[in-house]
Amino acid sequence: MRYLKEKMSEASEAMRFEEAAQYKKRIEILTSYQSKSVVVSNTLTNMDVFSLVTDEDAAFCNFMRIADGAVVNSFTVELKPGLEDTPRDVLTYAIGTIAERLSGKLSREVIVPFPPSGSLWENVAFTVPQRGDNVQLVQLARENALQEAERVTSREERISGTLQLLGKMLSLPQPPRRMESFDISNMAGTDIVASMVVFLDGKPYKKEYKRFKVEGLEDQDDYASMAQVVHRRFVHYKQADVGFDQAPDLLLIDGGITHAETARRALEALELDFPVFGMVKDNKHRTRALVTPDGREIALDGTQAVFALIGTIQEETHRFAITYHRELRSKRLRYSQLDQIPGVGPKRKELLLRRFKSLSAIGQATLEELKAVLPADAAAAVYRYFHKET
């Protein structure tokens, strides 16, 4: 559907209207097929159906919307119930969560396996079916929820198994639940930055990602940069600063034995001891092995699941570092060019960039547009700078 819409838009913009009409017809056919893909009954009116399955750790609620006897929308949400929550409480919360995804709109008739606790929706009739097609609908929704529970459990089991294997390979006392990975990014020694990404239970935990701007180094020195960043991260840890107060089970350092040794020494200086491994790359820039600070290598290419996990962590760490580096470099280049304009100091640069967003837009602004942001003489200086030829 997305592909067809993109092609229709391209054809319209190029004024190939006959081609665009063909794409539109295909979209209409697909939409019609989509709405009638699962016909459950030709006698049912429009309604919503919910069903719930629970286990010790999670609950899964499936939602189905029936229109003209066909399932036109269906999805399952995963919930983490509290210890005191009853199934009715969980169902009520799930219906509310799903209603938000539907812009707060439920059908007038809602079929449920048991009544939710309380009545939170006006003009909505909740029915617990006893026989007939509606009972079959609740059962179908339950089967959908069970399938999602099995899929999630299988995924979690795979991740858990990979972490257990990684822990054994690295001789850790237990599987590494929290892994922190560090990378340095710079270009010709300028705008040296570092990234710290966190993987929790094998998945990115983005709210605890950190970015560091390396300070006080005259020249490019990856080892000194890494030492500074690891030191700063764990100074915050020792001070129990929010966002830094969790202890890692494993540190992964982008680079080889010297990078790993540098990080270990930074920890020792703070009287801390966490497992540290360098990520050694192959000629395709993929992590082929992990190396300890004393030079012991652990090959990864024989264990595909661990190889894939460490590769994902390495790529995410590098992506996060290079994105920050590009942001700083772009900002520095914009500022350095504006520095050449007389009468434009730091505050006026901020005003210009806040208003026009980019250097290119500032250069294309009219004199009157610039005067709306800066005093007349400064606006004229900016205009002259970008229009020297005219």
Side-chain angles (χ1 to χ4, degrees), residues 311-330:
T312 299
I313 295 172
Q314 176 225 322
E315 290 172 3
E316 178 68 354
T317 311
H318 181 69
R319 179 201 65 79
F320 194 55
I322 201 70
T323 300
Y324 184 39
H325 179 263
R326 287 170 179 163
E327 287 176 10
L328 289 181
R329 184 168 178 269
S330 174

Side-chain angles (χ1 to χ4, degrees), residues 141-264:
R142 177 177 172 78
E143 289 171 5
N144 290 340
L146 282 169
Q147 287 179 11
E148 178 65 12
E150 290 171 3
R151 187 186 69 81
V152 169
T153 301
S154 298
R155 185 184 70 223
E156 298 294 339
E157 286 176 347
R158 285 197 304 272
I159 293 173
S160 176
T162 301
L163 293 177
Q164 288 180 20
L165 179 57
L166 177 60
K168 290 178 181 177
M169 291 170 62
L170 302 183
S171 301
L172 302 179
Q174 58 190 16
R177 290 198 63 224
R178 181 187 175 95
M179 295 182 283
E180 296 181 2
S181 179
F182 294 80
D183 188 18
I184 304 294
S185 177
N186 66 75
M187 186 176 293
T190 62
D191 298 321
I192 306 173
V193 301
S195 66
M196 178 189 113
V197 306
V198 179
F199 272 61
L200 190 63
D201 293 328
K203 294 175 283 189
Y205 193 51
K206 293 188 176 183
K207 75 175 189 178
E208 293 209 0
Y209 282 17
K210 299 291 185 294
R211 306 193 297 188
F212 301 86
K213 187 174 181 181
V214 176
E215 302 167 345
L217 295 182
E218 296 293 332
D219 301 309
Q220 178 179 341
D221 186 335
D222 281 0
Y223 303 130
S225 300
M226 185 63 72
Q228 180 186 132
V229 168
V230 172
H231 178 85
R232 286 164 58 185
R233 183 268 181 263
F234 287 101
V235 164
H236 287 298
Y237 168 74
K238 293 195 75 170
Q239 295 171 347
D241 293 335
V242 175
F244 293 90
D245 52 351
Q246 295 299 308
D249 298 313
L250 175 63
L251 294 187
L252 296 171
I253 309 298
D254 191 81
I257 179 174
T258 309
H259 285 87
E261 172 63 12
T262 298
R264 185 187 63 78

Side-chain angles (χ1 to χ4, degrees), residues 51-89:
S51 200
L52 184 75
V53 296
T54 60
D55 59 26
E56 294 180 357
D57 302 315
F60 297 86
C61 183
N62 178 255
F63 161 81
M64 294 193 306
R65 174 154 287 173
I66 312 298
D68 298 325
V71 178
V72 296
N73 193 2
S74 178
F75 56 85
T76 300
V77 297
E78 181 182 0
L79 307 159
K80 299 294 183 184
L83 292 175
E84 304 299 322
D85 289 336
T86 66
R88 291 183 63 183
D89 295 331

Side-chain angles (χ1 to χ4, degrees), residues 340-352:
Q340 301 176 41
I341 305 174
V344 178
K347 289 185 178 180
R348 288 176 178 175
K349 282 186 288 189
E350 287 283 357
L351 289 171
L352 285 168

